[in-house]
Amino acid sequence: MALITYLTRIQFDFGALKLLDAELQLLGIRRPLIVTDKGCIAAGLWGKVKEQLPGNMPITIYDGTPENPTEAAMRDALRIYKAEACDGIIAIGGGSPMDLAKGVALMATHPGDSLQAYSMVEGGAARITAKVAPIVAIPTTSGTGSEVSRGGVIIMDSGRKLAIGSPHLIPRLALIDPELTMSLPPHLTAGTGMDAFTHNIECFLSNAFNPPADGIALDGLDKAWRYVERATKDGSDREARYNMAMAAMEGAMVFQKGLGAVHALSHPTGGLKGYRTHHGTLNAIYLPAVLRFNEPAVGDKFRKVGQVMGLKESEQNAAGVANAVAALNDRLGIPKGLSKAGLKDEVIEQIADGALGDHCHLSTPRQPTREQYIELIQQSWG
């Protein structure tokens, strides 16, 4: 039996931001906590959102979201939420503010003081109820799709980068205005764009049964493949920005199929102490090796992927798709391996151990052993 659910409200188009106040009224949010980061403030993106809010609305801002959100930052935002008697959250930015907002919305309404207790690997999903505070998600990047997803990834106090996940964590409204992505610089457009690409291809290759999700994933894959390079080369390309925003949204709509070994590897890599790595960029680096590894487990699916990507019939296989992705990475300026992204080989075994304990390890079509994870990391080293 397959559970097939797509349950959230989405406003999508250039100019969608103008609908914000009306949508907040529908949700009954009149004292919002704004969860964002200092980059969104500096880029003027928060200012564009503020213009759409009533002048007499009490507004509280938390802009301390780290590049990789942490449980400590969640507690800081939670204290503000409670002190100001907020009744909902507006998350503005990329995946980090939206994931942090999910943690705040959860802990503001649920017992306990440990977010890790609600993580997926500790069986926390069953403890998450409909009491979660309402979230309005306004993405300013086209990558994570967190605006429509049921999960969030946060570095816990324990140092582990873990996911919280439940249908109750899906934002009540995704307000997607591609205009807000126009100022994203090329390297972030590339990294976030490859995040969206990876979401769609990993979900499609998952062996879980969900034909509607497969259709959405292929459409998202098609859009990401055709438009990520255009958006990276010319950030003012409105058609490219529109389609990348849609690809990101579609990639997250199909998360319920499950991701795979790319994410099982990128999550612990992104949680390494002493390193600053970008999640989407890590996905792009790991993807070619994992695609080749998955070939025995996904049957005829690579043929369909290759067709969507416009590859020759002789290239519609794992090697052909992996080679095409590697070539795209090169054109986008993605670092040519983990070593070029600044990692030292002393972390290889730590990443492999983390991958085995990641929730995405359970849904990958071919589950690597510890030794095979080490091989995948080495193949992605550069």
Side-chain angles (χ1 to χ4, degrees), residues 57-376:
M57 175 176 278
I59 295 172
T60 305
I61 300 177
Y62 177 79
D63 66 357
T65 306
E67 290 179 82
N68 289 292
T70 64
E71 188 173 2
M74 182 279 299
R75 283 196 303 272
D76 290 341
L78 179 62
R79 280 193 290 268
I80 297 172
Y81 184 95
K82 291 182 174 180
E84 298 298 326
C86 296
D87 58 6
I89 301 172
I90 302 175
I92 308 166
S96 295
M98 288 186 277
D99 285 2
L100 191 76
K102 292 175 184 179
V104 175
L106 170 60
M107 298 307 293
T109 53
H110 286 64
D113 56 8
S114 169
L115 185 60
Q116 183 164 328
Y118 291 96
S119 67
M120 294 178 70
V121 296
E122 296 195 5
R127 295 191 284 273
I128 301 175
T129 73
K131 293 181 180 179
V132 172
I135 302 170
V136 171
I138 305 176
T140 61
T141 68
S142 298
T144 70
S146 188
E147 64 271 12
V148 296
S149 81
R150 60 183 177 177
V153 181
I154 296 177
I155 299 175
M156 304 296 174
D157 291 339
S158 65
R160 296 178 68 189
K161 191 171 186 179
L162 300 177
I164 53 174
S166 164
H168 301 304
L169 290 175
I170 300 173
R172 298 280 293 278
L173 170 70
L175 203 161
I176 306 171
D177 188 335
E179 188 76 37
L180 297 177
T181 70
M182 301 286 281
S183 61
L184 197 66
H187 73 285
L188 288 178
T189 299
T192 56
M194 288 307 295
D195 195 18
F197 183 92
T198 304
H199 291 161
N200 282 290
I201 198 169
E202 278 215 294
C203 287
F204 177 69
L205 294 177
S206 167
N207 285 332
F209 178 77
N210 194 323
D214 286 344
I216 293 170
L218 286 175
D219 188 71
L221 176 63
D222 175 50
K223 286 179 169 58
W225 175 253
R226 287 195 291 130
Y227 289 101
V228 65
E229 199 170 355
R230 278 178 53 177
T232 300
K233 289 181 177 179
D234 180 5
S236 65
D237 185 332
R238 292 173 70 84
E239 182 184 13
R241 291 296 192 185
Y242 182 97
N243 281 281
M244 285 309 301
M246 182 63 74
M249 184 194 76
E250 290 181 313
M253 288 176 73
V254 298
F255 277 173
Q256 60 184 291
K257 272 200 74 183
L259 290 163
V262 173
H263 280 77
L265 286 163
S266 64
H267 287 155
T269 307
L272 291 170
K273 292 183 178 179
Y275 293 93
R276 290 183 62 184
T277 53
H278 181 264
H279 173 71
T281 301
L282 290 174
N283 283 343
I285 293 171
Y286 281 124
L287 183 55
V290 172
L291 289 172
R292 295 184 180 97
F293 176 81
N294 279 337
E295 184 171 30
V298 297
D300 194 40
K301 287 186 175 181
F302 275 115
R303 180 179 61 81
K304 187 64 176 179
V305 169
Q307 289 174 344
V308 168
M309 292 169 60
L311 303 183
K312 299 176 182 177
E313 187 172 352
S314 61
E315 298 172 337
Q316 292 171 10
N317 50 49
V321 172
N323 290 341
V325 170
L328 175 62
N329 284 343
D330 284 345
R331 295 196 301 271
L332 293 174
I334 299 292
K336 295 184 179 181
L338 297 169
S339 64
K340 301 298 189 296
L343 272 66
K344 306 297 182 183
D345 58 11
E346 63 194 24
V347 302
I348 290 177
E349 293 193 2
Q350 183 180 347
I351 296 171
D353 290 337
L356 282 171
D358 189 84
H359 68 285
C360 292
H361 172 72
L362 302 176
S363 55
T364 194
R366 183 184 177 198
Q367 290 188 340
T369 63
R370 185 177 188 273
E371 290 71 24
Q372 287 171 327
Y373 269 127
I374 289 175
E375 290 176 6
L376 289 169

